[in-house]
Structures are given as C-alpha cells and as structure tokens.
Amino acid sequence: MTTQQDFPSQEKGSSSISSSYQPNLSGRYKLDKIFAAIALICAWAGLVVLAWLLVDVFTDGVSRLTWTFISEFPSRKPDEAGLLSALVGSIWLIGIVALVAFPVGVGAGIFLEEFIKNSVIGNIIEVNISNLAGVPSIIYGLLGLAAFVRWMEPLTGGRSIIAGGLTLGLLVLPIVIVATRESLRAVPDSTRLAGFAVGATRWQVVRDTVLPPAFPGILTGTILALSRAIGETAPLITIGALTFIAFLPRGPRDSFTALPIQIYNWVSRPQQEFHSLAAGGIIVLLVVLLTMNSIAVILRNKLQKSR
Amino acid sequence: MTANSPNSGEDRSSLWKPNRQASRRVEMLVKLIFGAFALVSVATTAGIVLTLIFETIEFFGEVSLLQFLFDPQWTPLFSNQQFGIHVLISATIMTTGIAILVALPLGLMAAIYLSEYASLNTRRFLKPALEILAGIPSVVFGYFALLTVTPVLQTFIPGLQGFNALSAGLVLGISILPLVASLSEDAIYAVPRSLRDGSYALGATKRETIISVILPAALSGIVASLILAISRAIGETMIVTLAAGQNPTPGFNPFVPVATMTAFIVQVSLGDTPATSLAYKTIFAVGMTLFLITLTLNLISFWFVRKFQEKYE
C-alpha cells in the first residue's frame, strides 16, 4: 500500500529531475571537436619542429658538402676545414663499442633470460639494469674519466679512443641487453622443450634452437644501440676528447675527436662560417645515423624472410 | 637376415658416444663467461657509485658542506672561490621546468590522439616519425636551439640574450616529447575497452570519456612517464650547454645566460684539469648531486607504477 502511494510522488520527482537536466548535446559535441583538433595539432607539433630543424640544417649546411669537407682536417680557415679526423674517430669508436657491447650485452642477455630467469640474483641484476638505463650519459663520462682515463691510464693511454669506446660501450650496454632479452623471450618455450627432450644441454638448446630465430631482433637492437653511441657527445667531452685534431689516429691508444664533438666545437664558435660547417657536419652525422637505421630495418626484414 | 640385423644394431649403438663430460664442461664455461658479462652491468653501477663517492669525499675534504649548500655564488674556477650548488640547481630546475611545460601537454595530447583518435595508417606513420625525433642526437638539438630558435625568439622578446634558459628549455621539451608521448600512449592504450564502453553507455561523449575515465585509469603510467621525462631533462647536457650558456647566474630569469649542473661539468672538462685540482673534484661533486637527483626520480617512477597501477581482470 505504502509503495503504491509512494509511486506517483517518485515519478513526479524523477520527472522534475529530468526536466532540470539539459543534455546540451550540440555544445558538448562542439567541445569534443575542439578537443580532437587540439590533440591532432599536438600530435603533429613534434613532427613540424622536426621538419623545421631538418630544413634549417640543410639550407645552412648543404653548401659545405663538398669533397674537401670529407677529405680535409679541421682548420682555422672555414673554407679549408673538413671533418676527416672526426669521421675516422667516430668509425674507430663505433668499432670498439661494437666489439665491447655486442658480445658482453648478448652474453649477459642470454645469461639473464635463459640461465637464471626468475631467480633472486636475476631480479637484482634486472633492477640494476633498468636503473642504469636512467643514469644521465654525462655520469658515464665521469665514470670513464675516473676509471678508463685516470685509473687504467697505463693500459688505455689516457684520453684515448679506447677509453672513449669503453665508456660508450658501457653506456649502450643496457640497450643491447634489453633487446637481447626481448628477442629471446619472443621465442616460444616449445622450441626449448623440444631441445631438452632430445637430450641437449641448456647451452646447446640456446645456441642451436633459440638463438637463430632471436638473432634478427638482437642485431637490430645492437645497431640501434650503436647509432645511439654515434650521437653521444657529453660523455666524450667529459673523458677529454679533443676538439681540434689535425691527424689521424693510428691505434686505439691515440687521442681522438668524433663527429658530435667536432659539431659542438663548430657550433660554439661565434663566426657564422663555422656555424654552416656545423650544419654540414650535422648532415653527415644524420646521414650516418639514417644509413645505420636503414641497415637495421633491412637486416631484420631479410633475416625474417629467409627463415 | 636374422643373423645380420643384431650385428648391425650393435655397430650403430657403438658409433654414437655421447660425450657428456665435454658438454657439461662447455656448459659450465659458457655459464661462467656469460655470468661474468652479466656482472659487468653490476660492476658499472658499482663503479659509478664508488668513483662519485670517492671523489666527492675528496671534494668535501677541501670545501665544507655548508659552503656547498649556502654560498651565494658558484665560482669554483675563479680566484674568489664560492660553491653554492643551488646556483646550478636553480638553472637546471628552470630549463627542466620549461621543458616539461612544453613536453607534458604536447606529449599527453599526442598520446591521446595516437591511442584514441588516429586511424591505423596515421598511427603507423606517426609512431616511427616520433621515434626519429627521439633518435636525433642532442648536439643537433643544441645547434637548433642556439642558432635557430633563439634568433626567432629574439624578434618577439627584445631583451633576450644570445644564451638563455628559455630557448634551451623549449628545445629540451621537444627532445623529451617522444618519451612522454610513447610512455603515456602505452598507459592509455592499456586501459581496457570495457571501461570506454561503460562510459559511452552512460551517455558520455568521447572527450568526456577520455578526460573522466581513461586518463584517471592511466594516471599511474602518465605520472611515471612524466617523472622519467623530468629525470631525462635534468641529465640532458648538450642542449643546455650550447643554448643556455655557461654563466652561473643565481635566480630564475629565463632570459639571461645560466649554467646547469651538466653544463658546468662540460665547461670544466673542456679545459685541461689535472686530477689533483679542486676543479676536477668539483665536477664529481656536481655529478654526485646530479646522480642522486635522477636516481631518486627514477626510483619514485618505478615505485609509483608498482603502487598505483590499476589492475584490470
């Protein structure tokens, strides 16, 4: 009885609520459109700046791209200056970084993913690696300065290519390790179980059945790590790469310069002519980076297809 | 036939000799070598911490902690030496703050666009393009900030000096934009579809769904990406060194040259400093400060994700 009496009054209440509620759909949809437009603009903003940067660098630097620029040493006269010593220094560095970071990174990745996965030590090392990835690169420079330049001076020869290469190698090591682990993780467990079932040891399983399908991913990750190393400037300045070198290094214990260092040197000079040299150097650096990244993509596609 | 087959069977079984001893030895060797490789990463951390601590202790043997914290100026390279680290920290906060003011709204909105609005084809183009932006070396951004952005800003702002925190911060923001965008997008993309459907079923529009349902659900990931971006901006070196200058100026004026912590380390490293000099020890003390700040931020970011991550299903 009471419920029946309540009913009309409730209905009355709800009808008064619905009349006070105005959906205002057209206004809300208008706001929606504005919001979507802002999101669109923000998503493209970064690319617009990227395009601006590239156009700017190319207009400033394209006139410097002559054979002299590649084949000559840096000079006080902008018209005769080139980046030969920087280019050769960068190639040396990349060679050393590859020699250090590839075997150590892949080995560590295999060890963490295949041998001690989910163990306490494994987890500690994993946390340690993700922390290392967040350490600013200039701190690696300080480590390199104290460890490779000062402490190991008899071995490395002080402010040398090998000291720079080792520093950059440590810097990109987490990238190689993470890439290796992710590639190994993508290989299905059934592959491993099949290997164990025919009596293979863990290493035999990894070497013969897990590593081959994971290899393209590992290689791609390594090349991306190397391209990160090519662009690094701060750690090299910290360990004391020279900014003006008019000779080619003859061995890993010689002093050196590198592309980003040379670019930094040219940018930080007040004269306009050196700025266009810097732009030219940036074009060379970006072309090197682009080439490496393309190689990474092509290698991945090719190796994946051939399987 | 019957006489032959057992014979050949015996022959075959003797052909295969499993050399288990050798496999086991190889296995041990591989484990040992790869384990040592894995320890390289631990040794790197230990090396960083130990060198920083060692040289910082040397530094505080010559300069008191009170000086380091409360000196009004930062002039370790002049004859009148003062060591007020806050001068460098304030510059770092300023460039980082400007960078975040650029990167957070742009990055977050870009993430929303990529995850909620973009068609599959747009996504396929935009994400790699943002990765290219992320792969540009910082010295290139430094060139851009000093020689392109600053002259443009000077036409708007008459009092702007050639080196300033403003243009360094703006370009720094662009350089960390891909980090904010991709990490936030991961967080937004991970919000389950059922939450969106529920919101639509209540009559919410897309914008209302995004703002009051999806963003709160993805908040932990977004905050974590923000903290990582701050940490990255604080440790960034070349952009601030080239565009903000190397003049330690106290205070928060974005229009004049300042020196961040990283810029000071570069400034000292470019000169030839013997290992025994105070300047050499100073860069390690500054490096220690930088390391502690970024480490704290990174740890907060990890902790935040673990603590506040919304678990669905």
Side-chain angles (χ1 to χ4, degrees):
Chain A
M1 283 299 275
T2 44
T3 43
Q4 267 181 344
Q5 271 179 336
D6 279 355
F7 230 84
S9 68
Q10 242 181 13
E11 216 165 53
K12 217 176 180 179
S14 72
S15 72
S16 72
I17 284 171
S18 80
S19 68
S20 75
Y21 173 67
Q22 287 160 342
N24 185 19
L25 267 182
S26 63
R28 284 159 67 201
Y29 278 137
K30 202 173 277 169
L31 276 179
D32 263 42
K33 271 186 189 145
I34 295 170
F35 184 78
I38 293 173
L40 178 78
I41 292 167
C42 289
W44 288 91
L47 293 195
V48 171
V49 175
L50 177 66
W52 180 21
L53 186 159
L54 292 178
V55 168
D56 195 65
V57 165
F58 271 84
T59 48
D60 285 357
V62 81
S63 63
R64 292 288 179 185
L65 292 180
T66 56
W67 182 242
T68 321
F69 191 57
I70 306 289
S71 66
E72 285 299 316
F73 289 107
S75 162
R76 241 165 284 158
K77 297 176 202 137
D79 287 330
E80 295 170 13
L83 38 63
L84 181 63
S85 50
L87 199 57
V88 173
S90 275
I91 293 169
W92 267 100
L93 279 179
I94 285 316
I96 293 172
V97 172
L99 279 179
V100 173
F102 182 69
V104 175
V106 174
I110 291 174
F111 186 73
L112 292 174
E113 192 64 27
E114 302 289 337
F115 286 94
I116 57 163
K117 202 179 181 185
N118 297 327
S119 70
V120 177
I121 300 172
N123 287 342
I124 291 173
I125 297 179
E126 185 168 354
V127 169
N128 172 52
I129 287 170
S130 48
N131 263 323
L132 273 183
V135 172
S137 63
I138 196 161
I139 301 282
Y140 282 90
L142 290 177
L143 170 69
L145 178 62
F148 301 132
V149 175
R150 305 278 181 207
W151 189 52
M152 297 190 198
E153 184 162 4
L155 282 175
T156 58
R159 304 169 180 272
S160 61
I161 296 178
I162 184 88
L166 289 175
T167 306
L168 292 183
L170 289 185
L171 174 67
V172 300
L173 195 58
I175 306 177
V176 181
I177 295 179
V178 169
T180 304
R181 297 193 64 177
E182 278 172 4
S183 312
L184 291 174
R185 210 171 297 154
V187 178
D189 247 355
S190 53
T191 317
R192 294 182 183 85
L193 296 178
F196 292 134
V198 296
T201 64
R202 198 165 268 277
W203 165 239
Q204 286 165 339
V205 166
V206 170
R207 187 190 59 195
D208 295 333
T209 63
V210 182
L211 215 44
F215 200 67
I218 295 175
L219 211 57
T220 310
T222 307
I223 294 177
L224 292 181
L226 291 184
S227 66
R228 162 93 193 272
I230 283 191
E232 275 298 337
T233 320
L236 292 181
I237 291 183
T238 313
I239 67 153
L242 298 175
T243 50
F244 187 91
I245 282 206
F247 57 86
L248 289 183
R250 274 156 308 169
R253 298 183 58 195
D254 276 356
S255 53
F256 70 107
T257 187
L259 274 180
I261 306 280
Q262 189 62 60
I263 293 168
Y264 169 76
N265 177 253
W266 280 332
V267 176
S268 57
R269 291 189 190 204
Q271 298 92 337
Q272 179 74 43
E273 292 84 2
F274 285 109
H275 294 166
S276 71
L277 282 174
I282 289 174
I283 296 175
V284 174
L285 180 64
L286 291 181
V287 166
V288 172
L289 286 176
L290 195 68
T291 314
M292 290 184 64
N293 288 357
S294 321
I295 291 174
V297 172
I298 290 169
L299 266 180
R300 183 173 52 190
N301 290 346
K302 209 168 189 177
L303 288 171
Q304 271 170 351
K305 245 179 240 162
S306 69
R307 286 191 39 79
Chain B
M1 281 290 274
T2 44
N4 235 351
S5 62
N7 256 348
S8 65
E10 243 176 51
D11 279 345
R12 272 194 202 118
S13 75
S14 63
L15 266 178
W16 187 65
K17 291 185 189 127
N19 193 348
R20 296 222 169 80
Q21 202 58 43
S23 326
R24 212 166 289 153
R25 226 172 278 148
V26 170
E27 177 95 359
M28 280 302 296
L29 197 67
V30 164
K31 235 176 159 174
L32 213 67
I33 293 172
F34 286 4
F37 286 170
L39 282 181
V40 169
S41 71
V42 180
T44 307
T45 311
I48 288 174
V49 172
L50 288 180
T51 49
L52 288 178
I53 288 179
F54 183 73
E55 298 289 348
T56 307
I57 288 174
E58 293 262 298
F59 171 77
F60 282 119
E62 297 184 37
V63 178
S64 77
L65 185 63
L66 285 178
Q67 272 183 293
F68 194 62
L69 294 178
F70 298 115
D71 268 2
Q73 297 285 334
W74 176 263
T75 54
L77 304 178
F78 299 157
S79 54
N80 170 31
Q81 288 181 323
Q82 296 200 39
F83 297 91
I85 185 72
H86 64 86
V87 177
L88 301 184
I89 293 182
S90 71
T92 306
I93 291 175
M94 193 158 50
T95 52
T96 304
I98 295 169
I100 294 301
L101 285 180
V102 173
L104 181 64
L106 284 182
L108 188 56
M109 288 303 273
I112 290 172
Y113 178 78
L114 280 172
S115 169
E116 303 297 316
Y117 288 100
S119 67
L120 202 61
N121 278 332
T122 319
R123 232 178 104 85
R124 232 178 255 158
F125 169 75
L126 263 179
K127 286 202 82 172
L130 279 175
E131 270 167 37
I132 292 180
L133 188 64
I136 300 278
S138 63
V139 71
V140 179
F141 279 120
Y143 167 94
F144 182 63
L146 178 67
L147 300 176
T148 308
V149 175
T150 298
V152 170
L153 287 178
Q154 274 170 332
T155 60
F156 295 94
I157 309 165
L160 194 69
Q161 303 207 18
F163 296 108
N164 60 79
L166 180 64
S167 96
L170 291 177
V171 175
L172 186 55
I174 294 294
S175 81
I176 58 172
L177 167 68
L179 179 77
V180 178
S182 83
L183 289 181
S184 301
E185 203 242 337
D186 289 344
I188 292 172
Y189 204 69
V191 174
R193 193 171 167 82
S194 55
L195 259 71
R196 295 177 172 83
D197 290 345
S199 174
Y200 289 137
L202 290 171
T205 65
K206 193 161 189 170
R207 169 186 53 89
E208 289 159 352
T209 302
I210 290 169
I211 290 175
S212 36
V213 175
I214 296 176
L215 286 187
L219 193 65
S220 73
I222 293 170
V223 171
S225 83
L226 175 68
I227 298 172
L228 282 182
I230 293 174
S231 162
R232 178 77 64 85
I234 289 176
E236 217 298 315
T237 309
M238 296 324 293
I239 301 173
V240 290
T241 306
L242 278 168
Q246 293 161 4
N247 257 31
T249 318
F252 290 92
N253 183 353
F255 303 132
V256 298
V258 292
T260 62
M261 292 186 276
T262 49
F264 173 75
I265 298 176
V266 167
Q267 186 190 5
V268 172
S269 304
L270 281 173
D272 194 28
T273 47
T276 48
S277 69
L278 183 58
Y280 178 80
K281 290 162 195 158
T282 310
I283 59 174
F284 283 89
V286 174
M288 186 75 183
T289 316
L290 181 64
F291 179 72
L292 286 179
I293 294 174
T294 52
L295 181 71
T296 312
L297 287 172
N298 292 346
L299 290 179
I300 291 175
S301 168
F302 289 135
W303 170 80
F304 204 89
V305 170
R306 223 169 258 180
K307 175 106 181 170
F308 292 104
Q309 196 164 39
E310 303 274 349
K311 289 271 190 313
Y312 301 104
E313 277 131 270

